[in-house]
Amino acid sequence: MNQHYTRTLVTTALPYANGPVHLGHLAGVYLPADIYVRFKRLLGEDIIHIGGSDEHGVPITITADKEGISPQDVVDRYHRMNLEAFTKCGISFNCYGRTSSELHFQTAQEFFREIDAKDIFVKKKERHFFDPETNRFLSDRYVTGTCPICNYPEANGDQCEQCGTHLSPLELIEPRSKLSNEVPELRETLHWYFPLGRFQEKLENYVRGHDTDWRTNVLNYTRTWLKQGLNDRAITRDLHWGIPVPVDNDEAMGKVLYVWFDAVLGYISFTREWAEKQGEPELWRQYWQSPDCRVIHFIGKDNVVFHTLMFPAIIMAWNEGRKEGVYSLADNVPASEFMNFEGRKFSKSRNYAVYLGEFLEKFPADTLRYSIAMNYPENKDSDFSWSDFQNRTNGELADTLGNFIKRSVDFTNAKFSGEIPYACTEEDWLSLGIDWEDSFRKLEKAYEGFHFREAASLTMQIARSANRFLTDSEPWKAIKTDPDAAARTMSLSVNLCYTLAIVGYPVIPHTSNRIYAMLGFSETLDDALKKGDVSWGMAKSPQLEKGHRLSARSEILFRKIEDEDIAPELEKIEGLLAEIEKKEKENTGDEIHFKPDISFDDFLKVDLRVATVVACEKVKKADKLLKLQLEVGSENRQVLAGIAQSFTPDSIIGKNVVLVANLAERKIRGELSQGMILAVEGNDGRMNLVEVDGTGINGKMVQ
Ligand SMILES: [Zn+2]
């Protein structure tokens, strides 16, 4: 941050309205953003948090087709479900919009028209699969076929689930339409492309300007893309679900904006929606079109280049030649790594996840917020485990924080009629054994630098010190021998409760509100904050004066989590893991499913040859592919193989491998592949080549 800003706009990646959000999403994006926003609100800063549902794209229409309902039904369901879960979790959006809203259609079309009018888009005629049965062009996900890399027969047109390779539908062997199961035909169609390359230099300058303040992972992903050179990227698709391409001629018929172009603009339309709801429809400009406002995008690491290159390029295209209505680029893009679950990656497709809504039906939001904050995947993947959740809830929240608050309030109620019996001085405060200046400096630095695990941990340290102070002072003994000392202890303790309510607010806001009520305030902490009655600075010194009356009612802030509370959860994971293992076994052939018989003549048609690897290199933009040059007798062949994660190029030069030599040529990633080499996947997921010992056998038939 090189500039003084007076306002902040925080956006969070739009969850896809095709499924419920899970704890991995919460940990990577929504909780860190909410913690940050709440901290800034405590500072009294002008900050808004904008999010919403991404409601377009092919997976939604696939779900709708599968369930026999409309895409609108699908997005209605998940928008409602996710908003409800976020609300329950205390994610305090200022606006949670939808990309199916009218205002969003307007915004996205406005952007398209502006950029189109400047002649920035490139139009290309290309051939796409078309299903004559259903009279529809097939987007990538609607085409299935055999993977050219691993031979998996059910690969999707955009990616093979088995080997993970990103594909284009044209690369599939024996493609079929998912709609009709028929062989699709290729038809010509026109599409609009965004020429990212045109903004290469500007984007390089933009990213260079953040060399020191962006996270390393963000810079690395972005620089890799920049280094490879930016290409044209399609922004339209032949689909019925989405925002129609706003061009008044037949060219645009049946076409919608590609979801990557439309979704990021949601941040802008939802800010407009928020402004309208404030009764000041132009207010959004103070956030998007003012140099005084700092824009921050909270995202997961899988979304980095959309926010550091593509969205900025769209904004640059809009801004080109403009003096007014110029949009700001993000000042920071704090992308998280992933949070795993019991040591394994969350996976929606494998149903290996804990969904936020379901979790909150069983456990309180703040226990989740706290334990996730303590495991925030800031610069490396982290893990959520039930035992860690149980330990943190019981040992830290219940035994330390909850116990301290309840003892302080209860003892003051019992022995001092619920009134603060003594006026704390600055000197008393400094004698507590807490280095206040240092603690607050570290806390503020942690929040400002997006180090939320550190912030949560520093907060718990203050609770620990407070708890120790109360225990060591033994007011229950002193009340009999030295009542003045007991009075001083309790006044300080209750003031520490007040400090903890404020300091804890970003991470555990529900608890802070409950502490605030126990301290005798009739309005909620949230309301007091809105009115400016409390602030971050007030936590730094004792605020509750002698005579201040506490609430007569205290409560247990955190119920301990017993083993039997999490037993069903652990059981559920075992079930899920067993299911995943079973599926993996099916795929790796522990239970062998042989292919249908073929005739001997058919077998003889396959020409298997010994080939020697004479050269090998990686394929650009395909982290699974190696390009091999093979010597087969007197002939040379080039073959692409999906083994780059098991071998370095150098390590296979000189090996004798088995080549399927008469397989029809095909192009993969624009490179010619003339045949296939045989390999076996090991139990560890690594590939092993089928090798042939011997010298001088190169070119010989394998039989
Ligand atoms: Zn594959």
Side-chain angles (χ1 to χ4, degrees), residues 146-153 155 159-165 167:
T146 302
C147 171
I149 311 292
C150 74
N151 268 339
Y152 179 60
Q159 191 176 20
C160 168
E161 266 219 339
Q162 173 117 323
C163 69
T165 308
L167 300 167

Side-chain angles (χ1 to χ4, degrees), residues 68-69 111 151 379 411 472 476 601 610 680:
I69 54 178
F111 265 83
N151 268 339
N379 39 34
F411 197 77
D472 292 352
W476 38 90
D601 284 348
V610 178
V680 186

Side-chain angles (χ1 to χ4, degrees), residues 311-535:
F311 187 32
I314 294 172
I315 288 178
M316 286 170 181
W318 169 282
N319 289 349
E320 211 170 272
R322 269 178 170 270
K323 290 222 164 57
E324 273 176 23
V326 171
Y327 284 83
S328 307
L329 300 175
D331 182 60
N332 211 326
V333 184
S336 67
E337 298 291 310
F338 290 142
M339 191 181 75
N340 295 322
F341 172 50
E342 297 282 354
R344 247 178 190 267
K345 220 180 136 185
F346 277 98
S347 163
K348 202 193 131 214
S349 60
R350 293 177 143 169
N351 197 28
Y352 186 72
V354 180
Y355 297 108
L356 180 58
E358 284 177 14
F359 189 99
L360 296 176
E361 279 169 22
K362 297 171 200 151
F363 302 99
D366 279 2
T367 56
L368 178 65
R369 290 177 65 111
Y370 176 72
S371 72
I372 284 193
M374 292 297 275
N375 288 299
Y376 174 52
E378 180 178 329
N379 39 34
K380 59 176 192 297
D381 287 357
S382 71
D383 195 53
F384 178 90
S385 75
W386 285 106
S387 63
D388 178 76
F389 171 65
Q390 183 185 24
N391 290 339
R392 291 198 186 281
T393 301
N394 294 357
E396 294 166 18
L397 292 176
D399 282 347
T400 306
L401 177 66
N403 185 35
F404 168 69
I405 306 277
K406 186 151 170 44
R407 283 198 297 167
S408 302
V409 172
D410 283 353
F411 197 77
T412 308
N413 270 327
K415 302 295 176 189
F416 298 101
S417 334
E419 267 182 30
I420 293 190
Y422 168 90
C424 298
T425 64
E426 194 65 25
E427 219 183 330
D428 293 323
W429 196 244
L430 293 174
S431 73
L432 284 169
I434 301 171
D435 187 340
W436 289 110
E437 220 183 276
D438 187 55
S439 296
F440 275 94
R441 199 183 50 236
K442 281 185 183 154
L443 262 172
E444 284 157 18
K445 219 178 136 196
Y447 280 120
E448 295 288 2
F450 312 114
H451 311 305
F452 303 116
R453 198 175 26 199
E454 200 188 336
S457 152
L458 286 164
T459 304
M460 189 49 71
Q461 271 175 36
I462 297 178
R464 245 180 236 122
S465 304
N467 202 29
R468 196 174 314 122
F469 162 73
L470 180 60
T471 305
D472 292 352
S473 307
E474 300 184 313
W476 38 90
K477 281 187 188 162
I479 192 80
K480 291 168 203 149
T481 54
D482 185 356
D484 285 351
R488 178 180 173 273
T489 299
M490 294 326 294
S491 301
L492 279 166
S493 293
V494 172
N495 267 295
L496 281 165
C497 294
Y498 183 92
T499 287
L500 282 165
I502 293 178
V503 171
Y505 181 77
V507 179
I508 43 172
H510 304 94
T511 306
S512 289
N513 272 290
R514 290 161 75 195
I515 298 173
Y516 199 64
M518 280 159 75
L519 294 178
F521 294 96
S522 54
E523 61 179 355
T524 65
L525 180 55
D526 290 321
D527 286 342
L529 184 56
K530 264 178 221 151
K531 289 203 301 209
D533 291 348
V534 295
S535 68

